[in-house]
Amino acid sequence: VPTVILRRRLAGAAHLQRHQVPLVVGVARIDGRPLAHVIRREDARHVGHRSPHQSLVGGIVVLIIFSIFLTQKAGEEMAQPLRSRTIFSILSVLLGFALAYSLIYQYDFKSRSTNELQVNVADIGHQMLTTTGNGYVLPFEVVSMLLLAAMIGCIVIAMKAKPKE
Amino acid sequence: MNEIPLTQILFVSTALFFIGMYGFFTRRNMITMLMAIELILNSVNINFIAFNKYLYPDKLDGIFFTIFIITIAAAEAAVAIAIIINLYRSHKSIDVEDAGEMKY
């Protein structure tokens, strides 16, 4: 089954490439739906328990795969990075890791309570849509506006400019 | 059941952060750089969940921060990929070194 889906994705990417359809088609389609098809075929019983944010993660993965398909020719002849840059980045990354982890290792983290963390989706949902106290309804709405703005921005950026007559 | 100490989880997230940093420094393919940024964001997510679980187990704030980071990362990836596709159309390349000018 996965190979069939992959072939269909490839055909879809080729179709996009051929007709110069803006990426927006891909973005609009993504929103979890292709992934949902994949999951529904493989494991139909657990689909109902997925939260929208899990499908966001799947959406990012599908988006990245899509863009790799769209720009596939460019990946072949790409030059290797400079050797000096590789060496310096390895050095800086190792130094940064050593510094950060030595700080973490010396610090003594103390817990404020001995309770076990109890997470269920109902609590998360209640707190996310509460307007009083520790509610997160304002960031929720702001993030929804951000997603809308990002979607419109993608449409505008990826739109093919019409040649002037 | 033995608890995993917080320091070990922080080790994993620090390692993930610097792996993403290394990928961001050395890669020239823009999509791979985007994946490196995703690695960095996910290491921050691991930190939030770990601190929530170990230091403040009565609250859920770390989980909310993680949820919002994931959402914002999705928006960021969508915009970045739209820009990359547009750049690929005009330059026929997704190498960062080729994207010297911002105007066309």
Side-chain angles (χ1 to χ4, degrees):
Chain A
V1 171
T3 53
V4 173
I5 291 167
L6 189 65
R7 206 174 301 143
R8 205 171 296 156
R9 287 277 158 275
L10 268 169
H15 174 82
L16 277 179
Q17 181 93 319
R18 214 179 304 125
H19 295 278
Q20 290 281 323
V21 180
L23 178 76
V24 185
V25 179
V27 175
R29 253 196 228 142
I30 273 168
D31 205 4
R33 237 168 283 157
L35 186 81
H37 285 309
V38 175
I39 289 177
R40 202 165 292 144
R41 286 186 189 190
E42 284 176 357
D43 192 357
R45 281 163 299 175
H46 297 293
V47 171
H49 295 291
R50 290 188 317 131
S51 77
H53 292 286
Q54 275 171 294
S55 63
L56 266 181
V57 178
I60 297 173
V61 173
V62 174
L63 195 60
I64 286 175
I65 291 173
F66 241 101
S67 57
I68 288 173
F69 285 157
L70 278 175
T71 58
Q72 208 168 18
K73 268 180 289 181
E76 290 169 2
E77 72 267 22
M78 192 157 291
Q80 287 293 312
L82 294 174
R83 182 171 293 266
S84 63
R85 187 183 297 173
T86 312
I87 290 170
F88 278 118
S89 53
I90 285 176
L91 274 180
S92 63
V93 160
L94 284 180
L95 265 176
F97 180 77
L99 185 68
Y101 191 66
S102 67
L103 285 178
I104 289 170
Y105 194 73
Q106 284 164 15
Y107 193 79
D108 183 27
F109 295 102
K110 284 203 182 76
S111 175
R112 302 292 164 90
S113 79
T114 54
N115 291 352
E116 191 83 359
L117 176 66
Q118 299 286 342
V119 185
N120 48 4
V121 181
D123 287 344
I124 294 177
H126 277 299
Q127 195 175 342
M128 184 173 272
L129 294 179
T130 308
T131 49
T132 57
N134 292 323
Y136 274 84
V137 73
L138 179 66
F140 184 75
E141 294 294 330
V142 170
V143 141
S144 69
M145 289 304 293
L146 177 84
L147 281 179
L148 181 68
M151 203 169 74
I152 295 172
C154 289
I155 293 171
V156 172
I157 291 171
M159 210 186 309
K160 200 185 172 199
K162 282 181 188 163
K164 285 175 185 163
E165 291 153 19
Chain B
M1 190 182 118
N2 284 336
E3 283 271 298
I4 304 167
L6 176 57
T7 326
Q8 293 186 9
I9 296 177
L10 292 182
F11 180 86
V12 172
S13 75
T14 316
L16 202 60
F17 181 87
F18 282 104
I19 289 169
M21 208 76 160
Y22 172 75
F24 190 70
F25 284 154
T26 52
R27 293 297 166 148
R28 303 176 66 169
N29 189 332
M30 284 189 204
I31 296 171
T32 327
M33 290 171 77
L34 200 68
M35 290 180 194
I37 294 175
E38 294 288 330
L39 276 189
I40 293 174
L41 285 170
N42 282 327
S43 79
V44 176
N45 285 343
I46 292 174
N47 267 7
F48 270 119
I49 294 288
F51 282 126
N52 192 5
K53 178 173 169 22
Y54 284 92
L55 301 188
Y56 299 97
D58 299 330
K59 296 179 177 172
L60 289 175
D61 296 274
I63 290 171
F64 282 106
F65 269 85
T66 305
I67 288 172
F68 288 121
I69 288 174
I70 289 171
T71 316
I72 291 169
E76 170 249 323
V79 174
I81 285 176
I83 292 173
I84 290 170
I85 297 289
N86 212 4
L87 210 67
Y88 179 69
R89 266 193 214 139
S90 63
H91 287 67
K92 293 275 169 276
S93 158
I94 50 171
D95 193 339
V96 269
E97 311 281 340
D98 292 342
E101 74 257 26
M102 295 290 280
K103 287 167 78 176
Y104 55 89

